[in-house]
Every structure is written in structure tokens, then in C-alpha cells.
Amino acid sequence: MCGRFAITLPTDAMAQLFAAQPANDLPKVPDYNVCPTRPVHAVQMGDAGRQLVAMRWGFLPQWYKSETAGPLLINARAETIAEKPAFAAAARTRRCLIPATGFYEWTKSGEGARLPWYIHRSDAAPIAFAAVWQSWGDADPVKTCAIVTTAANQGLSAIHHRMPLILEPGDWGKWLGEAGHGAARLMQPGPEGVLDFHRVDPAVNANRAAGPELIEPFGEDDIPRGQLI
């Protein structure tokens, strides 16, 4: 899954990277602790091409009467996204990309303490999560989104059995729908050797934690090193 991530890329750099027109109400960056229900940066297709816009992280199906009317849908499983009533229409026609610098996952110590790990590209390039979006509400519609996840590849499975669907630049156009059909074929675990990970300070366990120290190496890695994800 993906339940927390970091984005440090400046807004103008994100717009340039994705060749997208930026909106005026984008979240502030850097943010080292992006949490569910907060606004995130998202790249979607508009009438004039790619747009960089703000979306609420937490997909709200149209039948939700309020933001808390059902489960908090921050992730959508690639294996079932086309069948789930909440996501099926969005998977066909409302796909987007969510930029990130890295994301967090957790393991447990022998005593049951939650140990956070920061996962990032080994080449230090930005990450593009595959996602889907939905406009929710009648009076003042808000765009909401969920990150697509797949089974973890071999390297990341040492930390978690799921991982976000990460797309390479050559696949962005296909996912957004501007390069024809074939998005379904992209929903596979990422290749080995693209990501790396390290332990970070348990301070990130708190939603209000902030600052660049959250992604710095911390303590001893108790998962064998020497492997890239």
C-alpha cells in the first residue's frame, strides 16, 4: 500500500517535468510527511493538455453523502480496480499521476514497535505514482484521488506485501490516456533495481511531524542490505 509520502520537488520543476500547466492553488512544497485527506499535486488531462492540479488524497465515490460516509479510500488495488464500483469508471476515464520524492512503509520490531522505512528511487529521480480521481460534491465539487497499488516486487516484499504502482516517463502518456489504450498492461509490480530504502526516525509516525530530517537514515537497518528493490 501507500499511506504516507514525501514531495520535495518545487512546483515549477514538477510542471516542467510533466509538461503540465500548473494551477494557482497547489499545496506548498517541500512536504516530508504527506498524509491522507490532505491536498496533493496531481497531473491530469484537461481540454488544453496536461494540468498540474490539487486533489484531496482520499477518493470519494459519488454516492458518499459526506467525506466520512464510508471507508477512507487512499489506495486502489490494481488487481480489482476495474471491477470495484468505486473505481471502475475512474480507471477507464479518470487516471492521473501523483508526483513524489519517496514514500514510507512500516515493519514491526520484536516488541511490536512500528519501524518506519523511507523508499525512494535509487537514481534520485522523482517518482510518479499511478492514480485515479473523482470529482465529488455538487455545490462546490472537490477533486479526490487514490493511488493504485500492486503486489510488491521481490526487494520491497521484505518490508511490505504491497507497493504503489510507479510509472516510468515513457508510460505517463499511456496512463493519462493521451497515447492511446493499454493502461491496464501497466499495472504490474515495478522492476527490480529501481528503488532503495532505509530506516528513518519513528518521529514520522506522527501525522504532524515535519522537516527534512524525517527522510534521513536512522538507527540500524534490521533487514539485510545489499539488495536494491
Side-chain angles (χ1 to χ4, degrees):
M1 63 178 293
C2 181
R4 210 87 69 77
F5 67 90
I7 176 64
T8 64
L9 203 63
T11 296
D12 56 349
M14 276 188 270
Q16 182 176 4
L17 176 66
F18 292 96
Q21 180 65 35
N24 296 322
D25 60 345
L26 294 168
K28 293 182 179 180
V29 284
D31 188 342
Y32 294 90
N33 192 10
V34 182
C35 300
T37 74
R38 293 183 188 173
V40 299
H41 299 80
V43 179
Q44 68 168 54
M45 289 301 300
D47 293 338
R50 295 182 185 179
Q51 299 174 325
L52 181 64
V53 301
M55 294 187 183
R56 176 193 187 268
W57 185 18
F59 191 98
L60 296 173
Q62 290 181 331
W63 60 82
Y64 275 26
K65 299 301 183 183
S66 71
E67 294 184 1
T68 58
L72 180 60
L73 305 176
I74 62 171
N75 294 152
R77 294 175 66 96
E79 297 89 342
T80 59
I81 192 171
E83 306 162 6
K84 293 290 185 180
F87 299 122
R92 291 192 301 270
T93 61
R94 293 188 304 277
R95 299 186 297 271
C96 62
L97 302 168
I98 296 179
T101 306
F103 61 100
Y104 301 96
E105 288 294 358
W106 282 260
T107 56
K108 285 189 177 181
S109 69
E111 294 75 32
R114 296 180 74 225
L115 306 177
W117 298 77
Y118 181 64
I119 303 159
H120 56 94
R121 287 188 64 109
S122 54
D123 60 5
I127 291 172
F129 296 139
V132 291
W133 68 275
Q134 169 73 55
S135 185
W136 178 83
D138 296 323
D140 188 16
V142 58
K143 290 180 178 177
T144 71
C145 61
I147 295 171
V148 179
T149 66
T150 71
N153 61 19
Q154 183 176 359
L156 190 54
S157 64
I159 293 179
H160 200 277
H161 66 286
R162 303 289 296 175
M163 67 180 291
L165 175 58
I166 296 173
L167 299 178
E168 297 297 323
D171 293 325
W172 294 350
K174 187 164 289 186
W175 183 257
L176 292 172
E178 64 185 9
H181 300 292
R185 291 193 291 272
L186 301 176
M187 289 192 279
Q188 303 292 333
E192 306 293 332
V194 174
L195 303 176
D196 199 3
F197 58 89
H198 57 262
R199 276 275 311 279
V200 291
D201 195 325
V204 77
N205 293 354
N207 289 358
R208 294 184 180 181
E213 64 275 9
L214 295 181
I215 66 173
E216 295 299 321
F218 176 88
E220 295 293 328
D221 291 0
D222 50 10
I223 290 178
R225 303 295 290 149
Q227 285 188 20
L228 292 180
I229 300 172

